Amino acid sequence: MSFDLGFWWEEQSISPAEAARKYGAMIEGSAGIADEHPALETFYADLTSRFPDLTEGNFQVSPWAAPLYRTSECLIVSISYPQQSETFEYLLALASRSGVICYDPQSGKVYVPKGGSSATLELADGSVIDGPSQGDVIQALGELSPEDWYVILETRPGWFIQVGFGVAAGVPAGAYVLEFKEGAEDRHFRAVVGELPRIIDAFRKSLSGDTSWRAGFHFSRVSY
């Protein structure tokens, strides 16, 4: 099995639904889906200088589960699961520097290049807010419900704080499960919380880079 990602250039941010449509057309071999752009060439050159394409000679050490799929419009990669976490983080950072978007078909999430903060706020309806403000965070958390039951704030690839609400999140109705992760799987923790104001405080501080909120919770490590 593999973990697949698609990369291409967009003039502006696109919705997850539009990215999914384009990605589906690309893997079917359609042309004219995205504009050709030098940013994709830069991304490909930098990527293959670090991780060359899969060959018979390097398959034992390569992070790729299959050869890279490359056209003038896109690059699609298949990462082997044992190297997923490290390679994914590297690819997202490289894509942001190069100016291309990344679409993750496993989660349906779109990562777009950002000049400053790489933070994104993902909501249960599938929408993603790039570079969210404190107001965006407060509003999203205040709208948690059995239907809109989770919010994820990712501050950089693989580093996030997230909250799930009620039965959909695997906790009693009216309760919250708060989690944070620092890149590696062994740095993923969770706690069950009863008060929304404490969660809002944790999210606000996390957005500003303040980790002091963690001392106020009793976390346990998440097992995979």
Side-chain angles (χ1 to χ4, degrees):
M1 297 181 66
S2 63
F3 182 83
D4 300 336
L5 299 168
F7 301 89
W8 63 89
W9 182 81
E10 289 283 350
E11 185 175 2
Q12 58 188 6
S13 298
I14 63 173
S15 69
E18 178 64 5
R21 184 193 69 78
K22 289 192 173 187
Y23 178 83
M26 289 169 176
I27 62 176
E28 291 177 358
S30 301
I33 307 302
D35 293 331
E36 299 180 15
H37 196 276
L40 187 63
E41 294 296 319
T42 299
F43 174 73
Y44 176 78
D46 290 345
L47 172 60
T48 51
S49 69
R50 170 74 179 271
F51 298 122
D53 203 350
L54 185 66
T55 67
E56 291 184 0
N58 70 5
F59 73 93
Q60 290 184 325
V61 296
S62 175
W64 310 127
L68 302 175
Y69 176 77
R70 181 193 180 202
T71 72
S72 60
E73 300 176 13
C74 71
L75 179 68
I76 296 174
V77 306
S78 296
I79 308 170
S80 62
Y81 268 103
Q83 301 191 54
Q84 172 191 334
S85 180
E86 178 182 355
T87 307
F88 185 31
E89 184 171 349
Y90 171 79
L91 288 171
L92 289 182
L94 179 60
S96 186
R97 292 197 305 269
S98 302
V100 298
I101 74 160
C102 170
Y103 175 66
D104 174 2
Q106 286 80 203
S107 67
K109 187 170 183 178
V110 183
Y111 297 85
V112 300
K114 304 169 187 70
S117 171
S118 62
T120 59
L121 189 69
E122 179 180 342
L123 311 181
D125 64 2
S127 60
V128 177
I129 300 172
D130 299 316
S133 67
Q134 294 282 355
D136 292 328
V137 170
I138 295 171
Q139 179 177 345
L141 294 173
E143 294 176 351
L144 284 167
S145 69
E147 293 75 29
D148 298 317
W149 60 275
Y150 74 82
V151 175
I152 304 172
L153 174 64
E154 186 172 62
T155 52
R156 58 179 163 132
W159 294 59
F160 62 76
I161 177 175
Q162 67 182 28
V163 63
F165 177 69
V167 177
V171 294
Y176 305 84
V177 58
L178 181 67
E179 299 184 17
F180 75 91
K181 185 179 180 183
E182 297 178 322
E185 291 184 354
D186 64 353
R187 295 295 301 165
H188 189 177
F189 303 90
R190 75 191 299 268
V192 177
V193 185
E195 305 85 15
L196 182 59
R198 297 177 65 204
I199 293 171
I200 292 175
D201 180 64
F203 269 73
R204 292 184 61 192
K205 288 180 178 177
S206 185
L207 182 60
S208 64
D210 181 356
T211 61
S212 63
W213 58 270
R214 297 177 188 172
F217 300 91
H218 297 290
F219 287 105
S220 60
R221 194 183 306 274
V222 173
S223 299
Y224 288 84

